[in-house]
Amino acid sequence: MEDQAVCCYRHPQRETGISCTRCERPICPECMISASVGFQCPECVSGRASAGSGASAAGPPPRASQPRTLAGGTMASDPRLITKILVAVNIAVWLAALSVGDRLVNDLDLVGRAYDPGTVQVVGVAEGQWWRLVTSVFLHQQLMHIAFNMLSLWWIGGPLEAALGRVRFIVLYMLSGLGGSALSYLLAAQNQPSLGASGAIFGLLGATAVLMRRLNYDMRPVIALLALNLLFTFTWSGIAWQAHVGGLVAGTVVAYGMVHAPREKRALVQRGTCVLVLLAIVAMVWIRTVQLTG
């Protein structure tokens, strides 16, 4: 059966990807209240859910089809699970880098092609070390750097994960991070190292703007946040603007394909959009590798 659009039971004009973990009625971000697991609606929190609401002590009401998120994903009981895992992985890698020292950072950061005095070798993505495009997305050194990125991931990631579903959210995050790595590799100096989840975070910011526009929410807060972050990107020293821009573009394109795909061709459009973004990433990496090794 074709998936049906899910709208907030208190604001029928708003499509949403979030449901109350108690009564399973769909709720928009304005109505959701954080609970020990997931989110609950105002009526369940106040204990005044009416019998006519469709929820009862015997369990949730029967449904003609399983509720889906706005992007077609399955609604999960813990809408922040992937966000929690990503935060944990980033913190674990940061702690490992602190304990091991510069050697781990030098092995995992993003560098195009450079001489490493520690190994007395030429290292980098151009030398076949493709993993640096991924590992650098999870690598941090400074406390303020990881603190800012993880707070941003926690704040932005949860609502996005709830709206897109787990699989689509992790695909969005990884393609945004890879998009940032690829543009840095393509445009930055070959011996300029870079690291951090900022490219992926910018991708989530772009996706948030796309989602809010799709739901007809007030765009001014997210536009102001994007403008402020871009201002910092191009005015502060020591910031790899290429990663921020690459992640922003990749995340925006992927999110647009996910939330605007027509239901009858949803899987095809979403997969096709992700494949096109991945091909663009591969093309940038290939072009830069040829430049550095040709």
Side-chain angles (χ1 to χ4, degrees):
M1 181 178 293
E2 182 180 298
D3 296 332
Q4 299 179 353
V6 180
C7 298
C8 175
Y9 83 96
R10 300 177 79 231
H11 301 93
Q13 75 279 11
R14 297 180 184 174
E15 292 187 40
T16 182
I18 306 167
S19 61
C20 174
T21 56
R22 184 173 176 181
C23 69
E24 292 195 354
R25 288 177 295 182
I27 48 177
C28 65
E30 180 181 332
C31 299
M32 70 184 189
I33 301 174
S34 295
S36 56
V37 178
F39 302 98
Q40 291 185 8
C41 67
E43 291 186 17
C44 286
V45 170
S46 64
R48 294 183 286 103
S50 61
S53 65
S56 66
R63 294 180 183 269
S65 61
Q66 184 181 21
R68 295 280 177 173
T69 68
L70 178 65
T74 303
M75 290 186 178
S77 58
D78 183 358
R80 287 183 178 266
L81 178 62
I82 301 301
T83 302
K84 294 174 183 176
I85 292 174
L86 289 172
V87 171
V89 170
N90 276 276
I91 293 176
V93 175
W94 174 64
L95 292 175
L98 284 181
S99 61
V100 175
D102 292 340
R103 183 69 267 154
L104 181 63
V105 174
N106 293 338
D107 288 341
L108 300 182
D109 64 0
L110 176 63
V111 62
R113 193 165 187 257
Y115 174 74
D116 182 2
T119 60
V120 198
Q121 293 178 343
V122 177
V123 300
V125 177
E127 294 299 310
Q129 297 176 342
W130 308 102
W131 67 82
R132 293 176 180 270
L133 295 165
V134 178
T135 56
S136 60
V137 177
F138 296 91
L139 185 64
H140 300 81
Q141 278 187 294
Q142 304 299 323
L143 175 60
M144 289 302 297
H145 190 197
I146 189 171
F148 181 80
N149 278 345
M150 293 306 100
L151 285 173
S152 299
L153 173 56
W154 182 257
W155 181 51
I156 302 172
L160 268 178
E161 183 180 345
L164 299 179
R166 291 174 178 173
V167 174
R168 289 165 178 81
F169 177 71
I170 190 63
V171 170
L172 168 69
Y173 186 89
M174 292 306 301
L175 286 178
S176 297
L178 283 173
S181 294
L183 194 62
S184 287
Y185 178 51
L186 178 66
L187 299 181
Q190 66 182 51
N191 61 345
Q192 175 184 314
S194 64
L195 49 82
S198 300
I201 301 301
F202 264 78
L204 299 187
L205 272 173
T208 299
V210 171
L211 180 62
M212 291 181 69
R213 180 68 183 86
R214 175 67 174 81
L215 296 175
N216 293 319
Y217 287 173
D218 185 1
M219 294 291 295
R220 287 174 294 182
V222 71
I223 291 176
L225 184 61
L226 268 172
L228 184 61
N229 277 275
L230 288 173
L231 178 64
F232 290 154
T233 295
F234 290 102
T235 57
W236 283 16
S237 61
I239 293 181
W241 64 267
Q242 300 91 341
H244 292 191
V245 173
L248 176 62
V249 173
T252 301
V253 173
V254 170
Y256 191 90
M258 286 183 175
V259 304
H260 287 280
R263 293 190 189 91
E264 62 275 9
K265 296 181 180 179
R266 176 179 284 159
L268 177 63
V269 172
Q270 291 179 344
R271 292 170 184 169
T273 301
C274 293
V275 169
L276 288 176
V277 171
L278 182 59
L279 288 176
I281 291 170
V282 171
M284 286 189 287
V285 172
W286 178 79
I287 291 171
R288 183 57 169 167
T289 301
V290 170
Q291 290 177 348
L292 295 179
T293 60

